[in-house]
Amino acid sequence: MKGLLLKDFYNIRKQAGWYAGMIVLFCALSVVLKNAAFAGTIGILAATAVPLSAVAYEEKDGWQKFAAAGGISARTAVAEKYLLGALAALFGCIGYFASLAVLAAMGSGTENAAEWVLPVCMQFISLSVVLPLVFRFGVEKGRTYMTVAIVLFLLAIVGLFPLLGNLLADGRIALAVGAACFTALLLAASCAVSVRIYSKKEF
C-alpha cells in the first residue's frame, strides 16, 4: 500500500501541487469574501480529481496489467485509490476548517454543526460516486458519466434545498450526524462495489 501511494504521489506531484495551491487560494478567498463556500467547493474538486489523475496515469502506462501480473490484489489497488482521495479530501477539510476558524475570529463564523460537517461529507460523497464509475468505464468515459452524475446530484440538491435550508436554519445536530453516518455507509458500499468491478476487469 505504501509503495502504491508513493508511486501515485510521484506521478501526480505536479497536479497535486496545483490543487494544493488552489485550496489555499480558495480558502483565502473565503476569508476575504467572508464566505466559506469557496473553501468547501474546491475541496470537493480535489478529492475527486487527485485519484482520477492517478488512474489516468496508470491507464496510459498500462500499469494495471503489470499490477495484476505482479499479484497486487484488487482490494489493495482499489483501497489505495480511496486512501489517496481521502488524503486529498483531508487537506481540503483542513483548509475549510481553517477558513471557518478565521471567519469565527473575525466575527463572521458559524456555530451551526451542519455547516461544519456537510461540506466535508460532500467531499467523500463525490469520491464515493466517482471512483466506481472510473473503475467501471475508465477515465475518459468515466468523466462523462461523472459529469452526468454530478448534474443529477446538483438537481437533487436544488429540489431538496427548501428542506435543507430549514434544517440548516434550525442548526440541528441531527442533520450533521445523519449526513456523517450516510457518508460513511456510502463510502463503504462504494469501496465494496469498486473492488468487485476491479476484480472482474480483464487488463
Side-chain angles (χ1 to χ4, degrees), residues 162-183:
L163 175 61
L164 293 176
N166 292 333
L167 292 174
L168 285 172
D170 294 338
R172 296 181 180 177
I173 296 179
L175 177 60
V177 175
C181 293
F182 171 78
T183 302

Side-chain angles (χ1 to χ4, degrees), residues 62-74 77 198-199 201-203:
W63 183 89
Q64 293 168 329
K65 296 179 181 179
F66 174 80
I72 297 177
S73 68
Y198 195 95
S199 63
K201 293 191 72 172
E202 296 181 359
F203 301 108

Side-chain angles (χ1 to χ4, degrees), residues 14-191:
K14 293 182 179 179
Q15 291 90 335
W18 186 84
Y19 284 117
M22 290 299 294
I23 289 174
V24 173
L25 175 61
F26 273 66
C27 289
L29 284 175
S30 292
V31 173
V32 172
L33 299 178
K34 296 182 179 180
N35 187 345
F38 288 97
T41 302
I42 192 61
I44 296 173
L45 175 62
T48 55
V50 168
L52 192 67
S53 297
V55 175
Y57 273 106
E58 290 182 354
E59 290 184 355
K60 178 183 177 182
D61 298 334
W63 183 89
Q64 293 168 329
K65 296 179 181 179
F66 174 80
I72 297 177
S73 68
R75 185 179 299 275
T76 299
V78 168
E80 186 269 335
K81 292 299 181 290
Y82 277 85
L83 179 57
L84 183 65
L87 291 174
L90 178 61
F91 191 80
C93 292
I94 291 173
Y96 178 69
F97 291 149
S99 299
L100 288 179
V102 173
L103 288 173
M106 295 169 59
S108 302
T110 177
E111 296 181 357
N112 191 323
E115 291 187 27
W116 283 77
V117 174
L118 288 181
V120 174
C121 291
M122 291 295 295
Q123 296 185 39
F124 289 96
I125 289 174
S126 62
L127 182 67
S128 300
V129 172
V130 168
L131 283 184
L133 293 174
V134 171
F135 286 128
R136 175 63 179 84
F137 300 105
V139 173
E140 294 303 321
K141 289 184 179 179
R143 284 195 178 110
T144 301
Y145 290 110
M146 178 182 68
T147 301
V148 173
I150 290 174
V151 170
L152 293 176
F153 182 72
L154 290 176
L155 289 176
I157 292 295
V158 171
L160 294 173
F161 187 78
L163 175 61
L164 293 176
N166 292 333
L167 292 174
L168 285 172
D170 294 338
R172 296 181 180 177
I173 296 179
L175 177 60
V177 175
C181 293
F182 171 78
T183 302
L185 291 174
L186 180 63
L187 190 61
S190 173
C191 189

